[in-house]
Each structure stands twice: as C-alpha cells, then as structure tokens.
C-alpha cells in the first residue's frame, strides 16, 4: 500500500528511521516528539554490519561511511597492571559481511536521519508534542497530546523509548527491570588526550565487576568511553542523569593510571550516568493500527550494543511491510512477524552475557568477551532489506 498517513511517536533513532522508511515507501509521516528541539545527547554507538545494511536500504550508506569510523586496532587490558591480556585483530566485517562495522557519534546518525527525512518532507518532524493517549477505530488513530492538541493518522508507531506511553496504553504498565548495572558515558576532545593514554586506539579495560571501553569518534576528534559497574540499586531521579567526573573516578579508583587519567580529562558538562534497565519481552507489540518499535517494543541492556541496531532493522522491515501489504493491520502484522523472534534473541543474548562480562576475575571476563563477540557476529548476516517478510 502507498499514500497512507502515519503517526510516529518519538524522534529518537528508531522513530526517525521508521519515519524515513515509511516516507520512502510513499506515506505521509508526522513524527511527534516531546522535546522542544530535537538533538541527541552525544555518545558513541556501534553500528554493526546488520544495522549498516538497514541504513543502506534506507538510502544512507554514503552518510554512514562519512560519519562512521571503522574500529582501529584494539586490546583488552588488565585493570590493575595495565597488561595487555588480548590483542584484538583488525575488524574483518567488511571482508566477511560485505559491510564494515562503524563507530558513530549518536548525534551524527540522528542528524543524518533527520536530514534525509526532512529532504522528503520538511514538515515531517513536529516537536513539543507529548503523546498522552490515543484512540483507534476501524479507519484510523487519533493521537492526543498533553497540551490538548490532537492529530489523526491511519496508523500509530510508538517509538517512544523504554518508558513508552504507547506501550503502557496498549499492554498496561509493567515495571522496567534494573539490570544491576550503571553506565557512565564520557566524550573527551581528542586534542586533550596524551597519545600514551590511547595505546592502542581501541581498548577495553576489565576489572572486578567493572569494565571501561573507549574508542575514537569523528576520526579522533573525540574520544568516547563507556564505563560500566555493578550497583545494587538505581536510586537516582530519572533514568539518565548528569554525573560528576569525581564519581566515575571514585568507582574506577583501583584501575591503572591510563584509565583514571583519561576519566579525569572528561569535561564536566559531558559526563552522564545511565541506570541500565530492560523489560521482559512482550508476546506481541501490535493491536490493530498501533504497534511499537525500538526500545518501546524491546528495550535491552547495552552489553551487546544492539539496541539502536535492532531499531534500525525494525524500521527497514516496517517500510517493506507497508510496501508489501494491502492495508495497515496486515502491514503491522507482517512487521511484527518478521521481527519478533530476532529481537528477543538479541535481548536474551545481551542479558545472558552480563554476569560473565562483569565477573570478579579479569581472565574470566576476557574469555567471556571472546565468546560474546563470536556469538554477536551471528547477528551480522541479517539483511533487513531482503529477509522474507
Ligand atoms: P529513544 O532513543 O529512547 O527515543 C525515544 C524518543 O521518544 C525520545 O526522543 C523521547 O523524547 C521521545 N518520547 C518519549 N515519550 C514521548 C511521548 N510521550 N511523546 C512524544 N515523544 C516521546 N545501541 C546500539 O545499537 N549500539 C550501541 O553501541 C549502544 N550503546 C549503548 C550504551 C549505553 C550506555 C546505553 C544506555 C544504550 C546503548 N545502546 C546502544 C542502546 C540505544 O541507545 C537504544 O536502544 C536506542 O537509542 C533506542 O532508540 P529509540 O529510538 O527506540 O528510543
């Protein structure tokens, strides 16, 4: 079908990609985003080949190559001694899977998606619209906003993240599960970092119940790190909060100087902390003309770096499902059928890794990371542009 009128709730990576896929499939799309001005909090994202293929299918292959860095040489180091426990071979994704693995700045990917969508329809993204509820009938869906306004479409795609209002209205409120981990993400201007702290350019440092991974973004103009530690509970107001460099340093105080010196360079306004949550898989995401996509459908812990990747795959499949189906309910059923088992497999993969990745013994962590990376690569062959739907 073509010529539909879709409502997409949320202008994160999932929502923008879904809107782009629908717009490319010939639909008028309105993306309804609660914040007044869109723009992503900066941090790094791994775009594995399966996500690269979804972006190529959405027409963003060139943009991905322009904003992405292929991983540089890497190693896993011991937290206390700094000893290199494993050298990581040059990433072979391009040779093995036909598409490189890229590291991107989230803001760059977000901006590429928004630019491509606005090139098709400059009015596609509406900000300052917070979805409160929706009603669906036999022919369409009315989205109601907290400011009293409303919009009508022939379908509603809830891409409103882990705290999805769409999901809560469809299936009731369930509580997200705290995974027992928190993550700090920092971005440091590359020019501030002495070269000896960046040897090798990509590095994971493993220590008891903690890990820090760093890699360059924007050809080294920024050094991105994510530092994860176990915590018994998440006591903060909010799911992602501003943190302090002192707090990260305190958590990683027994790590070797290359790590602590790097953390100390984090600009105070670029240090954020995330409580890591997931939700139990839903048996279905769809009711009639309304469905869920990305973290709204399947929030997963970030231990395999597949949350945004799965949202990109979802989006490519959603666009194809609309192109193939005779009507909206059929399109949403096709989308869900094609995606459900795969994202649950990715969620379970990520969940099953956490205990071993954050074991007490670095040697055990290294073994777990090797096995985890091998398992993760089993996801890389998927082509959202051509799998059966
Ligand atoms: P979100 O990004 O949460 O977007 C939801 C949007 O909906 C937001 O813009 C929000 O403002 C809007 N919204 C919410 N409610 C409403 C409402 N009621 N009305 C209107 N708008 C609303 N993934 C990877 O693929 N690779 C990685 O390397 C990776 N690393 C990660 C590291 C960490 C530490 C964390 C925490 C996550 C990581 N992820 C990674 C996961 C990834 O960030 C998420 O899976 C992804 O961003 C989800 O995108 P989304 O569009 O579904 O949701």
């Amino acid at each position: 079908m073509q010529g539909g009128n879709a409502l997409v709730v949320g202008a994160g990576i999932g929502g923008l990609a879904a809107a782009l896929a629908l717009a490319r499939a010939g639909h008028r799309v309105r993306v309804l985003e609660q914040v007044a001005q869109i723009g992503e909090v900066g941090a790094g994202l791994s775009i594995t080949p399966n996500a690269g293929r979804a972006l190529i299918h959405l027409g963003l292959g060139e943009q991905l190559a322009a904003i992405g860095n292929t991983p540089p040489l890497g190693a896993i180091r011991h937290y206390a001694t700094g000893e290199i426990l494993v050298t990581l071979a040059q990433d072979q994704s391009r040779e093995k899977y036909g598409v490189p693995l890229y590291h991107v700045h989230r803001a760059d990917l977000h901006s590429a998606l928004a630019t491509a969508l606005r090139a098709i329809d400059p009015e596609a993204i509406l900000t300052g619209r917070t979805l409160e509820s929706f009603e669906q009938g036999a022919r369409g869906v009315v989205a109601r906003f907290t400011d009293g306004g409303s919009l009508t479409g022939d379908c509603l795609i809830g891409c409103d993240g882990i705290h999805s209002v769409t999901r809560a209205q469809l299936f009731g409120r369930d509580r997200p599960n705290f995974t027992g981990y928190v993550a700090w993400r920092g971005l440091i201007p590359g020019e501030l970092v002495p070269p000896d702290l960046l040897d090798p350019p990509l590095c994971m440092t493993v220590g008891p119940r903690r890990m820090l991974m760093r890699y360059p973004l924007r050809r080294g103009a920024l050094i991105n790190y994510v530092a994860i530690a176990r915590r018994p509970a998440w006591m903060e107001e909010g799911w992602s909060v501003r943190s302090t460099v002192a707090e990260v340093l305190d958590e990683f105080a027994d790590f070797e100087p290359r790590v602590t010196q790097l953390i100390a360079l984090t600009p105070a306004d670029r240090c954020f902390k995330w409580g890591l949550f997931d939700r139990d898989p839903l048996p279905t995401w769809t009711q009639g003309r309304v469905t869920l996509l990305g973290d709204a459908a399947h929030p997963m812990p970030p231990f395999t770096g597949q949350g945004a990747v799965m949202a990109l795959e979802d989006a490519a499949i959603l666009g194809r499902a609309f192109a193939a189906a005779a009507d909206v309910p059929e399109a949403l059923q096709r989308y869900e059928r094609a995606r459900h088992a795969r994202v649950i497999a990715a969620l379970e993969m990520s969940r099953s890794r956490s205990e071993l990745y954050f074991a007490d013994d670095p040697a055990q962590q290294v073994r777990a990371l090797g096995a985890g990376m091998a398992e993760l690569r089993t996801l890389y062959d998927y082509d959202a542009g051509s799998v059966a739907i």
Side-chain angles (χ1 to χ4, degrees), residues 9-15 32-35 44-46 106 129-131 159-161 165 183 185 226 274 276 293-295 302 305-309:
V9 184
I13 285 173
L32 316 163
E33 167 56 50
Q34 65 186 356
V35 304
L45 273 184
S46 291
R106 282 176 76 89
R129 310 280 169 105
T130 304
L131 182 79
C159 308
D160 41 352
V165 168
R185 290 159 118 179
V226 53
W274 275 259
L276 300 182
L293 183 147
D295 275 11
Q306 289 290 297
V309 166

mmCIF file of all heavy atoms in Angstrom, residues 9-15 32-35 44-46 106 129-131 159-161 165 183 185 226 274 276 293-295 302 305-309, ligand 1:
data_model
loop_
_atom_site.group_PDB
_atom_site.id
_atom_site.type_symbol
_atom_site.label_atom_id
_atom_site.label_comp_id
_atom_site.label_asym_id
_atom_site.label_seq_id
_atom_site.Cartn_x
_atom_site.Cartn_y
_atom_site.Cartn_z
ATOM 1 N N VAL A 9 5.511 8.202 17.010
ATOM 2 C CA VAL A 9 5.723 8.900 18.284
ATOM 3 C C VAL A 9 7.173 8.731 18.707
ATOM 4 O O VAL A 9 7.622 7.606 18.937
ATOM 5 C CB VAL A 9 4.793 8.349 19.387
ATOM 6 C CG1 VAL A 9 4.961 9.161 20.663
ATOM 7 C CG2 VAL A 9 3.354 8.371 18.920
ATOM 8 N N GLY A 10 7.913 9.839 18.806
ATOM 9 C CA GLY A 10 9.299 9.793 19.256
ATOM 10 C C GLY A 10 10.269 9.991 18.108
ATOM 11 O O GLY A 10 10.185 9.310 17.083
ATOM 12 N N ALA A 11 11.164 10.962 18.281
ATOM 13 C CA ALA A 11 12.178 11.247 17.252
ATOM 14 C C ALA A 11 13.554 10.812 17.723
ATOM 15 O O ALA A 11 14.531 11.537 17.577
ATOM 16 C CB ALA A 11 12.164 12.728 16.886
ATOM 17 N N GLY A 12 13.642 9.620 18.323
ATOM 18 C CA GLY A 12 14.950 9.016 18.583
ATOM 19 C C GLY A 12 15.429 8.361 17.289
ATOM 20 O O GLY A 12 14.857 8.576 16.207
ATOM 21 N N ILE A 13 16.442 7.528 17.414
ATOM 22 C CA ILE A 13 16.961 6.879 16.214
ATOM 23 C C ILE A 13 15.902 5.940 15.614
ATOM 24 O O ILE A 13 15.712 5.901 14.399
ATOM 25 C CB ILE A 13 18.285 6.160 16.558
ATOM 26 C CG1 ILE A 13 19.344 7.256 16.687
ATOM 27 C CG2 ILE A 13 18.672 5.130 15.509
ATOM 28 C CD1 ILE A 13 20.666 6.862 17.172
ATOM 29 N N GLY A 14 15.167 5.236 16.482
ATOM 30 C CA GLY A 14 14.122 4.341 15.983
ATOM 31 C C GLY A 14 13.013 5.100 15.270
ATOM 32 O O GLY A 14 12.591 4.722 14.169
ATOM 33 N N GLY A 15 12.524 6.169 15.874
ATOM 34 C CA GLY A 15 11.408 6.919 15.288
ATOM 35 C C GLY A 15 11.792 7.582 13.977
ATOM 36 O O GLY A 15 11.034 7.538 12.996
ATOM 37 N N LEU A 32 6.057 12.806 16.098
ATOM 38 C CA LEU A 32 5.627 13.643 17.222
ATOM 39 C C LEU A 32 6.625 13.459 18.354
ATOM 40 O O LEU A 32 6.745 12.366 18.913
ATOM 41 C CB LEU A 32 4.231 13.198 17.661
ATOM 42 C CG LEU A 32 3.305 12.956 16.456
ATOM 43 C CD1 LEU A 32 2.101 12.147 16.828
ATOM 44 C CD2 LEU A 32 2.938 14.282 15.831
ATOM 45 N N GLU A 33 7.345 14.505 18.661
ATOM 46 C CA GLU A 33 8.436 14.406 19.638
ATOM 47 C C GLU A 33 8.167 15.361 20.793
ATOM 48 O O GLU A 33 7.844 16.527 20.590
ATOM 49 C CB GLU A 33 9.771 14.724 18.966
ATOM 50 C CG GLU A 33 10.936 14.949 19.892
ATOM 51 C CD GLU A 33 11.217 13.790 20.858
ATOM 52 O OE1 GLU A 33 11.312 12.642 20.416
ATOM 53 O OE2 GLU A 33 11.351 14.062 22.083
ATOM 54 N N GLN A 34 8.365 14.849 22.010
ATOM 55 C CA GLN A 34 8.021 15.658 23.190
ATOM 56 C C GLN A 34 8.969 16.838 23.420
ATOM 57 O O GLN A 34 8.544 17.877 23.905
ATOM 58 C CB GLN A 34 7.965 14.778 24.436
ATOM 59 C CG GLN A 34 9.304 14.169 24.828
ATOM 60 C CD GLN A 34 9.199 13.193 25.987
ATOM 61 O OE1 GLN A 34 8.141 13.011 26.564
ATOM 62 N NE2 GLN A 34 10.314 12.574 26.355
ATOM 63 N N VAL A 35 10.242 16.685 23.093
ATOM 64 C CA VAL A 35 11.158 17.782 23.410
ATOM 65 C C VAL A 35 10.945 18.939 22.431
ATOM 66 O O VAL A 35 10.459 18.748 21.320
ATOM 67 C CB VAL A 35 12.652 17.349 23.420
ATOM 68 C CG1 VAL A 35 12.882 16.202 24.388
ATOM 69 C CG2 VAL A 35 13.146 17.005 22.046
ATOM 70 N N GLY A 44 28.940 7.474 21.863
ATOM 71 C CA GLY A 44 29.240 6.606 20.734
ATOM 72 C C GLY A 44 28.232 5.491 20.584
ATOM 73 O O GLY A 44 27.598 5.082 21.553
ATOM 74 N N LEU A 45 28.083 5.016 19.374
ATOM 75 C CA LEU A 45 27.232 3.863 19.073
ATOM 76 C C LEU A 45 28.000 2.945 18.138
ATOM 77 O O LEU A 45 28.613 3.422 17.181
ATOM 78 C CB LEU A 45 25.989 4.290 18.297
ATOM 79 C CG LEU A 45 24.735 4.754 18.988
ATOM 80 C CD1 LEU A 45 23.671 5.012 17.948
ATOM 81 C CD2 LEU A 45 24.251 3.745 20.006
ATOM 82 N N SER A 46 27.909 1.642 18.389
ATOM 83 C CA SER A 46 28.441 0.674 17.423
ATOM 84 C C SER A 46 27.355 0.374 16.421
ATOM 85 O O SER A 46 26.258 -0.025 16.802
ATOM 86 C CB SER A 46 28.768 -0.649 18.107
ATOM 87 O OG SER A 46 29.841 -0.521 18.937
ATOM 88 N N ARG A 106 26.318 9.380 18.124
ATOM 89 C CA ARG A 106 24.845 9.304 18.007
ATOM 90 C C ARG A 106 24.278 10.544 17.348
ATOM 91 O O ARG A 106 23.349 10.468 16.549
ATOM 92 C CB ARG A 106 24.214 9.241 19.409
ATOM 93 C CG ARG A 106 24.270 7.953 20.087
ATOM 94 C CD ARG A 106 23.696 8.146 21.478
ATOM 95 N NE ARG A 106 22.250 8.239 21.417
ATOM 96 C CZ ARG A 106 21.460 7.195 21.489
ATOM 97 N NH1 ARG A 106 21.975 5.991 21.626
ATOM 98 N NH2 ARG A 106 20.164 7.343 21.426
ATOM 99 N N ARG A 129 5.438 17.987 21.158
ATOM 100 C CA ARG A 129 4.170 17.227 21.206
ATOM 101 C C ARG A 129 4.391 15.987 22.069
ATOM 102 O O ARG A 129 5.094 15.068 21.647
ATOM 103 C CB ARG A 129 3.724 16.759 19.825
ATOM 104 C CG ARG A 129 3.711 17.808 18.757
ATOM 105 C CD ARG A 129 2.465 18.661 18.852
ATOM 106 N NE ARG A 129 2.611 19.798 17.982
ATOM 107 C CZ ARG A 129 1.994 19.932 16.820
ATOM 108 N NH1 ARG A 129 1.175 19.000 16.405
ATOM 109 N NH2 ARG A 129 2.180 21.012 16.081
ATOM 110 N N THR A 130 3.810 16.005 23.247
ATOM 111 C CA THR A 130 3.942 14.855 24.145
ATOM 112 C C THR A 130 2.694 14.002 24.065
ATOM 113 O O THR A 130 1.600 14.464 24.414
ATOM 114 C CB THR A 130 4.146 15.335 25.602
ATOM 115 O OG1 THR A 130 5.284 16.201 25.622
ATOM 116 C CG2 THR A 130 4.364 14.179 26.549
ATOM 117 N N LEU A 131 2.848 12.783 23.599
ATOM 118 C CA LEU A 131 1.684 11.890 23.498
ATOM 119 C C LEU A 131 1.147 11.600 24.895
ATOM 120 O O LEU A 131 1.907 11.216 25.792
ATOM 121 C CB LEU A 131 2.073 10.566 22.829
ATOM 122 C CG LEU A 131 0.903 9.602 22.653
ATOM 123 C CD1 LEU A 131 0.051 9.991 21.439
ATOM 124 C CD2 LEU A 131 1.393 8.159 22.521
ATOM 125 N N CYS A 159 7.418 4.824 18.999
ATOM 126 C CA CYS A 159 8.891 4.719 19.067
ATOM 127 C C CYS A 159 9.341 5.582 20.240
ATOM 128 O O CYS A 159 10.325 6.319 20.136
ATOM 129 C CB CYS A 159 9.529 5.219 17.778
ATOM 130 S SG CYS A 159 8.851 4.474 16.301
ATOM 131 N N ASP A 160 8.587 5.519 21.329
ATOM 132 C CA ASP A 160 8.788 6.461 22.431
ATOM 133 C C ASP A 160 9.641 5.887 23.561
ATOM 134 O O ASP A 160 9.521 6.306 24.708
ATOM 135 C CB ASP A 160 7.449 7.030 22.934
ATOM 136 C CG ASP A 160 6.324 6.014 23.024
ATOM 137 O OD1 ASP A 160 6.510 4.884 22.560
ATOM 138 O OD2 ASP A 160 5.265 6.356 23.553
ATOM 139 N N GLY A 161 10.518 4.941 23.210
ATOM 140 C CA GLY A 161 11.595 4.566 24.116
ATOM 141 C C GLY A 161 11.167 3.663 25.262
ATOM 142 O O GLY A 161 10.034 3.182 25.333
ATOM 143 N N VAL A 165 4.756 5.549 26.461
ATOM 144 C CA VAL A 165 3.342 5.764 26.782
ATOM 145 C C VAL A 165 2.483 4.866 25.886
ATOM 146 O O VAL A 165 1.455 4.331 26.308
ATOM 147 C CB VAL A 165 2.999 7.261 26.552
ATOM 148 C CG1 VAL A 165 1.502 7.507 26.591
ATOM 149 C CG2 VAL A 165 3.715 8.126 27.578
ATOM 150 N N ALA A 183 25.953 2.792 33.850
ATOM 151 C CA ALA A 183 26.962 3.135 32.834
ATOM 152 C C ALA A 183 27.216 4.629 32.882
ATOM 153 O O ALA A 183 26.280 5.419 33.016
ATOM 154 C CB ALA A 183 26.460 2.747 31.447
ATOM 155 N N ARG A 185 28.958 7.587 30.537
ATOM 156 C CA ARG A 185 29.478 7.824 29.190
ATOM 157 C C ARG A 185 30.145 9.180 29.182
ATOM 158 O O ARG A 185 29.594 10.155 29.671
ATOM 159 C CB ARG A 185 28.353 7.786 28.173
ATOM 160 C CG ARG A 185 27.801 6.393 27.982
ATOM 161 C CD ARG A 185 26.417 6.462 27.397
ATOM 162 N NE ARG A 185 26.348 5.823 26.097
ATOM 163 C CZ ARG A 185 25.242 5.739 25.392
ATOM 164 N NH1 ARG A 185 24.123 6.282 25.834
ATOM 165 N NH2 ARG A 185 25.241 5.150 24.226
ATOM 166 N N VAL A 226 32.670 4.333 27.525
ATOM 167 C CA VAL A 226 31.547 3.898 28.352
ATOM 168 C C VAL A 226 32.147 3.046 29.457
ATOM 169 O O VAL A 226 32.971 2.175 29.211
ATOM 170 C CB VAL A 226 30.465 3.167 27.516
ATOM 171 C CG1 VAL A 226 31.022 2.031 26.708
ATOM 172 C CG2 VAL A 226 29.337 2.648 28.406
ATOM 173 N N TRP A 274 23.880 6.455 33.290
ATOM 174 C CA TRP A 274 22.627 5.765 32.926
ATOM 175 C C TRP A 274 22.393 4.601 33.884
ATOM 176 O O TRP A 274 23.323 3.819 34.125
ATOM 177 C CB TRP A 274 22.727 5.145 31.534
ATOM 178 C CG TRP A 274 22.416 6.059 30.401
ATOM 179 C CD1 TRP A 274 21.239 6.104 29.696
ATOM 180 C CD2 TRP A 274 23.260 7.050 29.806
ATOM 181 N NE1 TRP A 274 21.317 7.071 28.724
ATOM 182 C CE2 TRP A 274 22.544 7.658 28.769
ATOM 183 C CE3 TRP A 274 24.554 7.480 30.065
ATOM 184 C CZ2 TRP A 274 23.078 8.670 27.986
ATOM 185 C CZ3 TRP A 274 25.089 8.494 29.296
ATOM 186 C CH2 TRP A 274 24.352 9.076 28.273
ATOM 187 N N LEU A 276 20.914 1.054 33.888
ATOM 188 C CA LEU A 276 20.632 0.152 32.758
ATOM 189 C C LEU A 276 19.422 -0.724 33.101
ATOM 190 O O LEU A 276 19.457 -1.499 34.066
ATOM 191 C CB LEU A 276 21.861 -0.694 32.441
ATOM 192 C CG LEU A 276 23.106 0.135 32.063
ATOM 193 C CD1 LEU A 276 24.274 -0.781 31.701
ATOM 194 C CD2 LEU A 276 22.820 1.116 30.927
ATOM 195 N N LEU A 293 8.068 0.023 18.276
ATOM 196 C CA LEU A 293 9.330 -0.179 17.545
ATOM 197 C C LEU A 293 10.488 0.318 18.413
ATOM 198 O O LEU A 293 10.343 1.284 19.173
ATOM 199 C CB LEU A 293 9.238 0.588 16.220
ATOM 200 C CG LEU A 293 10.384 0.495 15.226
ATOM 201 C CD1 LEU A 293 9.838 0.577 13.787
ATOM 202 C CD2 LEU A 293 11.431 1.564 15.426
ATOM 203 N N GLY A 294 11.645 -0.316 18.269
ATOM 204 C CA GLY A 294 12.834 0.116 19.025
ATOM 205 C C GLY A 294 12.671 -0.185 20.508
ATOM 206 O O GLY A 294 12.050 -1.178 20.900
ATOM 207 N N ASP A 295 13.232 0.683 21.353
ATOM 208 C CA ASP A 295 13.201 0.434 22.794
ATOM 209 C C ASP A 295 11.775 0.378 23.346
ATOM 210 O O ASP A 295 11.549 -0.234 24.394
ATOM 211 C CB ASP A 295 13.971 1.540 23.543
ATOM 212 C CG ASP A 295 15.470 1.251 23.598
ATOM 213 O OD1 ASP A 295 15.932 0.332 22.887
ATOM 214 O OD2 ASP A 295 16.172 1.955 24.354
ATOM 215 N N PRO A 302 22.708 -2.818 27.212
ATOM 216 C CA PRO A 302 23.602 -2.481 26.097
ATOM 217 C C PRO A 302 24.858 -3.342 25.989
ATOM 218 O O PRO A 302 25.785 -2.967 25.302
ATOM 219 C CB PRO A 302 23.978 -1.027 26.407
ATOM 220 C CG PRO A 302 23.950 -0.960 27.890
ATOM 221 C CD PRO A 302 22.866 -1.912 28.341
ATOM 222 N N GLY A 305 25.494 -4.019 22.544
ATOM 223 C CA GLY A 305 25.427 -2.852 21.662
ATOM 224 C C GLY A 305 24.446 -3.037 20.512
ATOM 225 O O GLY A 305 24.740 -2.666 19.375
ATOM 226 N N GLN A 306 23.253 -3.573 20.797
ATOM 227 C CA GLN A 306 22.319 -3.866 19.697
ATOM 228 C C GLN A 306 20.979 -3.128 19.819
ATOM 229 O O GLN A 306 20.080 -3.346 19.011
ATOM 230 C CB GLN A 306 22.048 -5.379 19.627
ATOM 231 C CG GLN A 306 23.239 -6.170 19.126
ATOM 232 C CD GLN A 306 23.523 -5.941 17.642
ATOM 233 O OE1 GLN A 306 22.725 -6.257 16.790
ATOM 234 N NE2 GLN A 306 24.680 -5.358 17.348
ATOM 235 N N GLY A 307 20.830 -2.225 20.782
ATOM 236 C CA GLY A 307 19.529 -1.560 20.952
ATOM 237 C C GLY A 307 19.162 -0.692 19.763
ATOM 238 O O GLY A 307 18.096 -0.861 19.142
ATOM 239 N N ALA A 308 20.018 0.223 19.408
ATOM 240 C CA ALA A 308 19.741 1.090 18.257
ATOM 241 C C ALA A 308 19.820 0.298 16.956
ATOM 242 O O ALA A 308 19.079 0.553 16.006
ATOM 243 C CB ALA A 308 20.740 2.245 18.230
ATOM 244 N N VAL A 309 20.709 -0.687 16.951
ATOM 245 C CA VAL A 309 20.857 -1.542 15.762
ATOM 246 C C VAL A 309 19.528 -2.240 15.459
ATOM 247 O O VAL A 309 19.047 -2.257 14.315
ATOM 248 C CB VAL A 309 21.986 -2.576 16.022
ATOM 249 C CG1 VAL A 309 21.959 -3.693 15.003
ATOM 250 C CG2 VAL A 309 23.344 -1.889 16.034
HETATM 251 P P1 LIG B 1 14.923 6.558 22.355
HETATM 252 O O1 LIG B 1 16.263 6.891 21.894
HETATM 253 O O2 LIG B 1 14.676 6.432 23.825
HETATM 254 O O3 LIG B 1 13.938 7.654 21.749
HETATM 255 C C1 LIG B 1 12.613 7.827 22.222
HETATM 256 C C2 LIG B 1 12.137 9.214 21.795
HETATM 257 O O4 LIG B 1 10.748 9.323 22.132
HETATM 258 C C3 LIG B 1 12.848 10.337 22.546
HETATM 259 O O5 LIG B 1 13.218 11.330 21.626
HETATM 260 C C4 LIG B 1 11.805 10.838 23.538
HETATM 261 O O6 LIG B 1 11.958 12.209 23.838
HETATM 262 C C5 LIG B 1 10.516 10.578 22.766
HETATM 263 N N1 LIG B 1 9.334 10.395 23.624
HETATM 264 C C6 LIG B 1 9.229 9.643 24.740
HETATM 265 N N2 LIG B 1 7.979 9.708 25.244
HETATM 266 C C7 LIG B 1 7.270 10.511 24.417
HETATM 267 C C8 LIG B 1 5.916 10.951 24.396
HETATM 268 N N3 LIG B 1 5.027 10.568 25.335
HETATM 269 N N4 LIG B 1 5.512 11.787 23.396
HETATM 270 C C9 LIG B 1 6.396 12.183 22.418
HETATM 271 N N5 LIG B 1 7.697 11.813 22.406
HETATM 272 C C10 LIG B 1 8.122 10.955 23.382
HETATM 273 N N6 LIG B 1 22.672 0.630 20.946
HETATM 274 C C11 LIG B 1 23.402 0.256 19.868
HETATM 275 O O7 LIG B 1 22.811 -0.153 18.851
HETATM 276 N N7 LIG B 1 24.768 0.300 19.869
HETATM 277 C C12 LIG B 1 25.460 0.716 20.983
HETATM 278 O O8 LIG B 1 26.696 0.760 20.930
HETATM 279 C C13 LIG B 1 24.718 1.107 22.153
HETATM 280 N N8 LIG B 1 25.341 1.522 23.290
HETATM 281 C C14 LIG B 1 24.602 1.898 24.366
HETATM 282 C C15 LIG B 1 25.266 2.272 25.554
HETATM 283 C C16 LIG B 1 24.522 2.676 26.684
HETATM 284 C C17 LIG B 1 25.246 3.053 27.942
HETATM 285 C C18 LIG B 1 23.099 2.722 26.612
HETATM 286 C C19 LIG B 1 22.284 3.173 27.798
HETATM 287 C C20 LIG B 1 22.436 2.328 25.439
HETATM 288 C C21 LIG B 1 23.180 1.899 24.321
HETATM 289 N N9 LIG B 1 22.552 1.467 23.150
HETATM 290 C C22 LIG B 1 23.287 1.065 22.079
HETATM 291 C C23 LIG B 1 21.069 1.389 23.089
HETATM 292 C C24 LIG B 1 20.465 2.514 22.298
HETATM 293 O O9 LIG B 1 20.917 3.745 22.809
HETATM 294 C C25 LIG B 1 18.928 2.451 22.347
HETATM 295 O O10 LIG B 1 18.489 1.136 22.117
HETATM 296 C C26 LIG B 1 18.319 3.323 21.259
HETATM 297 O O11 LIG B 1 18.771 4.648 21.392
HETATM 298 C C27 LIG B 1 16.786 3.295 21.312
HETATM 299 O O12 LIG B 1 16.278 4.192 20.361
HETATM 300 P P2 LIG B 1 14.728 4.500 20.331
HETATM 301 O O13 LIG B 1 14.534 5.483 19.220
HETATM 302 O O14 LIG B 1 13.932 3.235 20.298
HETATM 303 O O15 LIG B 1 14.390 5.180 21.730
#
